[in-house]
Amino acid sequence: MKRRALLAAMPLLAAMPMRVLASAPEIWDRQYDVVVLGSGGAGLAAALSAAARGLTVAVFEKNARIGGDTLNSSGFFNAAGLSGTKDKPIDHAREMIELGEGLNDPELVRIFTENCPGTFKWLQSLGMQFEDKPYKIYGTKEFRSYRPNRPRGTGYIHALGEASLKAGVSIELGCTAVDIYHVPETRQVLGVLIEKDGRSFSVRARRGIVLATGGFGANAEMLRRYAPELSALQHDSTPGATGDGHRLAERAGADLVNMQFVEIVPGGPVSIPYVIRLDIYPDRMVMVNARGERFVDERSDRKTLGEAILAQPGGIAYTITDNETVSSSDILDQKYLHQARHAGVVVRARNWAELAEKLSVPRHALERTLARACAGRTGQTSEGPCRRIVRRAPFWAQKIELHIHVTLGGVRINSKAQVLDKNGVPISGLYAAGEIVGNLHGAVRLGGNGVSSAVVFGRIAGENI
């Protein structure tokens, strides 16, 4: 596949019914050492790492373009201990364990946080470029999130995709994995049945399969089953995030854990076909309700923030920031924000009084709230201090529409990225990385851990398969 064709086009829809086949075909249609299902950051990192060992690798992608949810992510990469910061991998791990509520695997967390700096440098060796200084972003406490020079997650997909093609990786689009072949007595995974354009073909995976199929945020049925209280919310996942890998893994005997945990974040309405966020930098924005009152410490974890927004009268809340913050966003975010303003989804005002009028919130309450926040005085002990926010006109605001951003549940893996059964025994030939992994984040995911965990465990899977 040529590079231009690989990076083009729009995603396809629809999940396919699945089963796990016990009997392997007498003659395989295709054979590779490694088969990777999914072409986001996790899948491409796994493919490239396996190919670097001299293995033949094929990537099968359900959508009509590569990238998965990595392509649409904010792009930040968490790595503690770089740039001379005091923050170390052990601090990164400690924060994850605290947020995980005892539901993430401490050894997996350790492996992840210790591998983040090295994976960051590996990405740089592939041509990825990052800004020098780390940010503190939505849902984090420390400055450990590095922003790529290219907008959002596009840089990862370009770098990993091009390197994979140069390494001889086969990448095929529009392919849905509908069955897994395995040996019933040993559960050893042998290969996969792929469907494309109404035709099926069998693929032998001599060393194994890497599941990098993402989450299930686009699967309404699975959301109703596992997180019914949030199932009515819109999502910002790719249409292909329908839990295909989860169902294949479960039928192969995998242990699915933490399926009830779903991450929700602010976004825009479904009427616009792109993601808008004014809340990425917690020290540069403030959230208010319909009364013009601040109701939460914006530096809180994502679970706390989501619950606080849902609890507001009428479920109405707004994110407010200033022009300095918008101007410092990456170029794609700025483009979408200006488009959203012209569509009437985002408002811009010359001063706080005009902003209150455009948001239809009490003027004096909003002015009082913003003045206190900018001065670092909050007035309530439940709110944290704020600094250097909404200082420079014009001011920007959007009504918060909560989105399902990430599904945190999935397969249980070990430190080698091997998928485990319900007894904690590895399923021979089955590996996983990315959002399909359910025992890394626990109950709450730390902001900036999405892309970094995908690439870290993608590398680990490719190195161990």
Side-chain angles (χ1 to χ4, degrees):
M1 170 174 288
K2 294 182 179 180
R3 173 178 176 270
R4 182 173 298 176
L6 182 67
L7 299 173
M10 296 295 292
L12 295 176
L13 299 173
M16 301 297 297
M18 301 177 187
R19 59 195 182 279
V20 176
L21 297 177
S23 58
E26 292 184 4
I27 300 177
W28 296 88
D29 295 314
R30 303 186 193 179
Q31 296 196 42
Y32 302 92
D33 293 325
V34 177
V35 169
V36 179
L37 302 180
S39 68
L44 293 176
L48 179 57
S49 298
R53 298 166 55 205
L55 303 177
T56 58
V57 183
V59 175
F60 294 101
E61 168 57 48
K62 178 181 178 180
N63 294 319
R65 67 175 181 182
I66 64 170
D69 279 335
T70 300
L71 200 61
N72 299 323
S73 71
S74 61
F76 288 93
F77 191 101
N78 277 355
L82 297 174
S83 303
T85 61
K86 295 181 180 179
D87 183 44
K88 303 300 180 187
I90 192 172
D91 302 311
H92 188 182
R94 186 181 299 114
E95 190 173 353
M96 286 182 65
I97 294 296
E98 290 174 357
L99 286 176
E101 299 180 6
L103 297 172
N104 42 10
D105 184 332
E107 177 63 10
L108 212 61
V109 170
R110 183 188 67 80
I111 292 292
F112 164 57
T113 55
E114 290 181 356
N115 275 274
C116 282
T119 299
F120 181 87
K121 294 176 181 178
W122 177 71
L123 286 166
Q124 288 180 312
S125 75
L126 299 176
M128 271 292 295
Q129 296 180 335
F130 297 87
E131 295 182 18
D132 293 333
K133 294 183 179 181
Y135 290 81
K136 178 168 63 174
I137 66 169
Y138 187 86
T140 63
K141 294 181 179 179
E142 300 294 336
F143 289 86
R144 67 166 70 95
S145 304
Y146 290 84
R147 190 170 78 177
N149 286 355
R150 298 190 71 157
R152 297 196 172 179
T154 57
Y156 299 98
I157 302 307
H158 278 269
L160 292 168
E162 288 191 357
S164 294
L165 291 176
K166 289 179 181 178
V169 174
S170 169
I171 302 178
E172 193 163 349
L173 307 178
C175 297
T176 301
V178 294
D179 301 284
I180 283 182
Y181 297 96
H182 76 291
V183 178
E185 297 78 13
T186 63
R187 281 186 177 167
Q188 179 184 2
V189 169
L190 301 175
V192 61
L193 183 66
I194 298 292
E195 184 168 290
K196 179 178 182 179
D197 298 331
R199 295 181 295 177
S200 298
F201 55 92
S202 60
V203 184
R204 176 78 166 102
R206 289 183 288 261
R207 300 290 289 265
I209 295 172
V210 180
L211 298 174
T213 48
F216 57 92
N219 188 317
E221 181 181 348
M222 289 184 71
L223 288 170
R224 284 193 295 269
R225 176 183 176 187
Y226 293 110
E229 71 282 2
L230 300 175
S231 61
L233 295 179
Q234 56 195 332
H235 68 85
D236 59 16
S237 301
T238 60
T242 51
D244 296 7
H246 293 69
R247 290 174 287 173
L248 277 178
E250 186 175 31
R251 296 186 184 192
D255 188 21
L256 299 186
V257 296
N258 298 326
M259 295 292 285
Q260 72 273 31
F261 295 110
V262 172
E263 177 184 294
I264 55 177
V265 299
V270 293
S271 59
I272 56 174
Y274 44 83
V275 177
I276 55 170
R277 298 278 300 273
L278 287 175
D279 54 78
I280 293 294
Y281 308 106
D283 289 337
R284 302 184 190 178
M285 61 91 175
V286 64
M287 290 181 174
V288 301
N289 57 24
R291 298 190 293 260
E293 300 168 343
R294 185 166 172 250
F295 57 88
V296 70
D297 181 350
E298 292 83 359
R299 302 166 306 162
S300 300
D301 64 79
R302 296 183 174 197
K303 179 182 178 183
T304 299
L305 288 163
E307 291 175 346
I309 293 166
L310 286 173
Q312 295 314 298
I316 297 174
Y318 303 93
T319 302
I320 300 172
T321 190
D322 64 7
N323 202 58
E324 181 180 10
T325 301
V326 170
S327 298
S328 67
S329 300
D330 76 40
I331 191 65
L332 195 57
D333 283 330
Q334 292 187 53
K335 172 186 174 181
Y336 289 157
L337 286 170
H338 282 282
Q339 287 179 341
R341 184 172 72 87
H342 289 294
V345 173
V346 169
V347 301
R348 190 172 71 174
R350 294 167 295 179
N351 50 56
W352 292 347
E354 184 182 11
L355 187 65
E357 180 181 354
K358 289 187 174 183
L359 296 180
S360 297
V361 302
R363 171 185 170 182
H364 295 299
L366 182 64
E367 289 179 331
R368 183 170 58 251
T369 294
L370 295 179
R372 293 178 68 86
C374 290
R377 301 191 306 271
T378 63
Q380 296 184 26
T381 57
S382 61
E383 301 170 355
C386 258
R387 297 180 299 277
R388 50 189 297 271
I389 58 172
V390 291
R391 294 187 310 172
R392 296 187 178 180
F395 304 107
W396 295 69
Q398 72 174 102
K399 182 179 180 181
I400 296 174
E401 301 274 355
L402 287 173
H403 289 235
I404 291 173
H405 186 55
V406 172
T407 52
L408 299 175
V411 300
R412 192 155 58 102
I413 65 170
N414 61 17
S415 60
K416 295 182 178 180
Q418 294 172 293
V419 175
L420 305 178
D421 66 16
K422 296 183 185 300
N423 296 316
V425 178
I427 298 174
S428 180
L430 194 60
Y431 295 74
E435 194 175 337
I436 191 176
V437 173
N439 60 330
L440 175 62
H441 304 295
V444 183
R445 186 175 70 102
L446 187 65
N449 270 357
V451 174
S452 48
S453 62
V455 180
V456 164
F457 282 102
R459 285 187 76 196
I460 290 173
E463 291 168 352
N464 285 280
I465 197 168

